[in-house]
């Protein structure tokens, strides 16, 4: 039987320890059928031959924690990402508002929280640009918003407004007047609730744009880590109408502390609806929890107080008992807990909740996920492996960028600063690892994260030898965390994540073999093609570019 596709002319890096490298691969019916000489022998008159052009074919990447709908919608707002100063942001807002006089609420995502001293942004700076319409800008971590005075007025935030549960309204020095900086969802929620929601069609278009970008980066599976109830329908529409989706996805329904017992009542019906609508493409096996905030905003839950704020341990969004009860409840329904945990206090609460669920519901292959795990107390490191917890880390964060040097390290001090993003230590402990981007928080391209995991350096090569160099990992381990690690997280390690006969042909074609590429050059290594079960979803070698998979 002749193959549908044969890849040749380069290195086939299988990701398997028993047969790691070949020179050809054959695909038939969307699955890998042969490697090496057997693949070459499978060519027939109708076989499509893909010339790897001295590049490399690898298992496609996954992304174990990402927000496609949110990120896609954010592309349409004020382009504040990568602006280098407060002044640049204000001028960008001024220009965008003038060009969109019909837009009532002016929004933008992704600006850097270190651009103002101590991350304190003043509403009056935005008032200069837009005094008569509300402006809401969210930082790159999405845990802080900078708003103007009109947004504060419409929300009803005044000097008499107390800090809400699970949030903080920053005040002007020497008074109780709101400054214009809101931290965490308890404070952001009332503002965001006033912004008109994007219509269904706009959300579908945003999802298509986001997933097309992921396909162009070599990604074929994503974990949507924050799905509101209506967004399940967005995924279903995108998956079941032309041109379809270039990625598979698992959806994680978000569960908040307020009224959580009533909220989970609809989860099983939503799961069934998703999985029956797009079998083989969409699953809905996860429930998302926020245990805490982020260190740079002083809202991550810490076991010991913040160095720069000795009265504060941050913000725990759930009490430990309530979190354990909620995780146990969703676990009993067959869902996998996916917990955002940044501080060592948040991580401990997450581990305790997972342990409580296993104790209450009995042993099974549950594969809970703790995402981010930025700061882990030494006593808790071994608990990941013991409890079967997947540590989903964002390797791009493991560098001394301004977020780290200007905000994070001053808030936690040098000793805790050395315990951040312990990638190698988690692997050495026996924990399972997957990688993700948390896009739109940071860049979605896996190769950028892989470069940082290998070097622990900024793109400029700082510091020499790497930041916390003992936590560096080798290229094969980093590639596996973005492929086999994500496949394991998806409960699909027998289907993808390695290139073996019988597995799905989820493939990525890189311009060069990453194992032979200088570590600092990995981030710029071109992705030439991506295939989802043998269907090309990205083609950088033709003028059609990334639209190749959307026909």
């Amino acid at each position: 039987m002749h193959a549908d596709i044969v890849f040749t002319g380069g290195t086939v890096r299988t990701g398997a320890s028993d047969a790691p490298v070949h020179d050809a691969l054959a695909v038939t019916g969307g699955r890998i059928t042969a490697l090496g000489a057997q693949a070459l022998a499978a060519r027939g008159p109708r076989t499509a031959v893909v010339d790897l052009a001295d590049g490399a074919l690898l298992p496609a990447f996954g992304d174990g924690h990402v927000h496609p709908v949110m990120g896609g919608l954010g592309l349409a707002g004020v382009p504040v990402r990568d602006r280098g100063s407060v002044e640049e942001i204000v001028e960008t807002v001024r220009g965008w508002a003038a060009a969109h006089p019909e837009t009532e609420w002016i929004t933008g995502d992704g600006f850097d929280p270190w651009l103002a001293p101590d991350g304190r942004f003043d509403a009056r700076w935005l008032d200069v640009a837009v005094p008569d319409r509300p402006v809401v800008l969210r930082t790159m971590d999405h845990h802080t918003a900078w708003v103007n005075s009109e947004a504060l007025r419409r929300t009803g935030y005044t000097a008499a407004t107390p800090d809400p549960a699970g949030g903080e309204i920053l005040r002007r020095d020497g008074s109780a007047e709101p400054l214009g900086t809101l931290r965490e969802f308890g404070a952001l929620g009332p503002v965001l609730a006033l912004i008109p929601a994007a219509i269904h069609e706009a959300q579908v278009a945003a999802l298509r744009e986001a997933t097309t970008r992921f396909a162009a980066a070599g990604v074929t599976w994503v974990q949507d880590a924050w799905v509101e109830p209506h967004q399940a329908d967005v995924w279903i529409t995108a998956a079941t109408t032309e041109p379809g989706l270039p990625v598979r996805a698992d959806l994680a329904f978000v569960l908040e502390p307020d009224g959580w017992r009533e909220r989970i009542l609809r989860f099983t019906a939503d799961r069934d609806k998703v999985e029956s609508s797009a079998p083989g493409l969409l699953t809905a096996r996860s429930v998302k929890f926020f245990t805490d905030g982020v260190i740079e905003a002083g809202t991550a839950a810490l076991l010991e107080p913040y160095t720069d704020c000795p009265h504060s341990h941050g913000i725990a969004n759930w009490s430990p008992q309530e979190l354990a009860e909620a995780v146990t409840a969703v676990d009993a329904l067959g869902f996998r807990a996916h917990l955002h945990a940044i501080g060592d206090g948040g991580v401990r609460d997450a581990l305790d909740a997972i342990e409580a669920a296993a104790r209450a519901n009995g042993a099974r292959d549950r594969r809970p996920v703790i995402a981010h795990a930025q700061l882990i107390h030494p006593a808790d490191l071994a608990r990941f492996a013991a409890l079967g917890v997947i540590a989903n880390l964002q390797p791009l964060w493991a560098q001394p960028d301004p977020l780290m040097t200007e905000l994070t390290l001053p808030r936690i001090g040098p000793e805790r600063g050395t315990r951040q993003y312990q990638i190698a230590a988690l692997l050495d402990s026996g924990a399972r690892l997957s990688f993700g981007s948390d896009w739109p928080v940071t860049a979605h391209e896996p190769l950028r994260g892989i470069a940082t995991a290998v070097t622990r350096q900024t793109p400029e090569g700082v510091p020499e030898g790497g930041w916390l160099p003992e936590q560096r990992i080798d290229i094969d381990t980093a590639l596996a965390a973005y492929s086999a690690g994500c496949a394991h997280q998806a409960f699909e390690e027998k289907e993808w994540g390695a290139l073996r006969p019988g597995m799905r042909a989820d493939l990525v074609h890189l311009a060069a073999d990453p194992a032979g590429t200088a570590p600092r050059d990995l981030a710029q290594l071109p992705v030439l093609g991506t295939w989802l079960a043998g269907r090309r979803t990205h083609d950088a070698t033709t003028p059609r570019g990334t639209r190749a998979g959307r026909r």
Side-chain angles (χ1 to χ4, degrees):
M1 179 177 178
H2 294 141
D4 296 333
I5 313 170
V6 168
F7 297 84
T8 185
T11 300
V12 176
R13 189 164 289 279
T14 67
S17 58
D18 54 341
V21 178
H22 289 273
D23 60 357
L25 179 144
V27 174
T28 303
R31 291 191 177 267
I32 299 165
T33 51
L35 295 163
Q38 291 181 338
L40 294 173
R43 288 178 293 190
R46 296 186 179 180
T47 299
V49 177
V50 177
D51 182 5
L52 297 176
D54 294 324
L57 191 71
L58 289 83
F61 303 123
D63 191 306
H65 186 99
V66 68
H67 309 288
V69 178
M70 178 191 300
L73 290 172
L75 297 170
V78 184
V80 294
R81 186 179 294 272
D82 297 327
R83 295 300 186 266
S85 67
V86 166
E87 292 76 18
E88 283 188 42
I89 294 175
V90 171
E91 287 307 308
T92 301
V93 169
R94 187 197 308 275
W96 196 94
H100 298 81
E102 76 291 349
T103 303
E104 181 183 8
W105 283 80
I106 297 166
T107 62
D109 289 343
F111 74 93
D112 294 327
W114 60 83
L115 295 178
D118 200 34
R120 294 171 57 86
F121 294 83
D122 198 316
R124 294 178 297 195
W125 301 341
L126 289 173
D127 294 344
V128 173
V130 184
D132 56 345
R133 287 182 281 168
V135 179
V136 181
L137 308 178
R138 296 178 74 175
T139 54
M140 45 81 75
D141 58 24
H142 277 232
H143 287 257
T144 295
W146 175 20
V147 302
N148 70 346
S149 296
E150 179 63 12
L152 290 171
R153 185 190 70 79
R154 295 200 188 191
T155 310
Y157 284 164
T158 69
T161 306
D163 282 348
E168 182 182 11
I169 304 169
L170 270 61
R171 316 288 174 162
R172 296 194 186 282
D173 292 337
S175 78
E177 181 185 356
L179 174 66
T181 299
L182 310 174
R183 289 178 175 166
E184 291 307 323
F185 302 113
L188 272 64
V191 181
L192 300 178
L194 298 176
I195 301 173
I199 63 173
H200 179 79
E201 291 76 12
Q203 293 190 62
V204 171
L207 177 58
R208 292 197 192 285
E209 174 62 27
T211 54
T212 296
R213 291 180 179 224
F214 274 93
V219 173
T220 58
W221 177 85
V222 298
Q223 173 73 70
D224 188 330
W226 186 347
V227 178
E228 302 285 353
H230 68 279
Q231 289 175 338
D233 290 331
V234 174
W235 275 100
I236 290 170
T237 298
T240 58
T241 60
E242 289 296 330
L245 284 173
V247 301
R248 297 184 190 86
D250 182 59
L251 312 188
F253 301 119
V254 66
L255 187 61
E256 297 169 342
D258 182 31
W260 68 266
R261 290 176 176 83
E262 292 73 33
R263 291 172 186 264
I264 66 171
L265 297 178
R266 64 174 293 170
F267 283 177
T268 52
D270 287 344
R271 174 178 59 193
D272 293 345
K273 179 181 179 181
V274 168
E275 298 192 354
S276 63
S277 297
L281 195 64
L282 299 181
T283 58
R285 298 171 175 165
S286 304
V287 173
K288 166 70 174 292
F289 298 82
F290 282 97
T291 70
D292 62 354
V294 292
I295 292 174
E296 60 266 22
T299 56
L302 301 184
L303 295 172
E304 299 296 330
Y306 279 86
T307 301
D308 67 335
C309 193
H311 67 276
S312 175
H313 288 254
I315 296 176
N317 294 320
W318 298 73
S319 72
Q321 179 179 351
E322 196 87 352
L323 180 65
E325 291 179 11
V327 170
T328 299
V330 300
D331 179 79
L333 295 174
F335 287 96
R336 179 245 310 280
H338 187 110
L339 300 106
H340 161 116
I342 292 279
D344 51 7
V347 170
R348 179 166 293 178
D349 286 349
L351 289 166
D352 288 347
I354 291 166
E355 187 171 14
R359 187 167 54 247
N361 297 331
R364 67 178 173 86
D365 185 8
R366 45 180 43 89
R367 304 188 194 184
V369 175
I370 294 181
H372 314 318
Q374 180 172 346
L375 188 63
I376 305 171
H377 190 277
D380 291 322
L381 194 67
R383 297 179 68 195
F384 282 78
L387 294 170
V389 176
I390 298 169
N392 175 260
L393 302 183
Q394 287 58 53
L396 192 57
W397 300 359
Q399 57 173 295
D401 58 10
L403 184 71
M404 180 61 64
T405 59
E406 300 299 319
L407 291 180
T408 300
L409 287 174
R411 292 207 158 104
I412 60 175
E415 190 279 325
R416 286 181 292 189
T418 64
R419 292 195 271 114
Q420 296 185 86
Y421 306 119
Q422 299 179 74
I423 299 175
L426 281 164
L427 286 167
D428 290 344
S429 75
R432 300 299 296 255
L433 187 69
S434 68
F435 278 166
S437 67
D438 205 12
W439 185 81
V441 173
T442 45
H444 66 283
E445 297 93 344
L447 286 167
R448 294 178 63 173
I450 288 167
T452 307
V454 172
T455 65
R456 304 279 294 206
Q457 293 176 325
T458 68
E460 296 74 32
V462 176
E464 185 177 353
W467 174 67
L468 307 180
E470 69 278 6
Q471 298 299 336
R472 292 178 301 183
I473 58 176
D474 61 54
I475 182 64
D476 287 337
T477 303
L479 289 167
Y482 256 123
S483 52
C486 288
H488 177 77
Q489 180 179 324
F491 285 86
E492 294 181 348
E493 67 273 16
K494 294 182 180 179
E495 290 290 311
W496 60 277
L499 305 185
R500 296 189 182 94
M503 299 184 79
R504 288 198 301 241
D506 288 5
L507 315 167
V508 59
H509 176 199
L510 304 180
D513 186 348
T517 301
R520 281 187 59 184
D521 295 335
L522 287 169
Q524 287 76 45
L525 189 58
V527 175
L528 300 182
T530 308
W531 289 261
L532 178 71
R535 174 174 66 91
R536 191 158 198 161
T537 57
H538 168 64
D539 185 358
T541 65
T542 72
R544 295 182 65 87
T546 59
R547 298 186 63 85
R550 300 184 64 189
R551 291 196 290 266

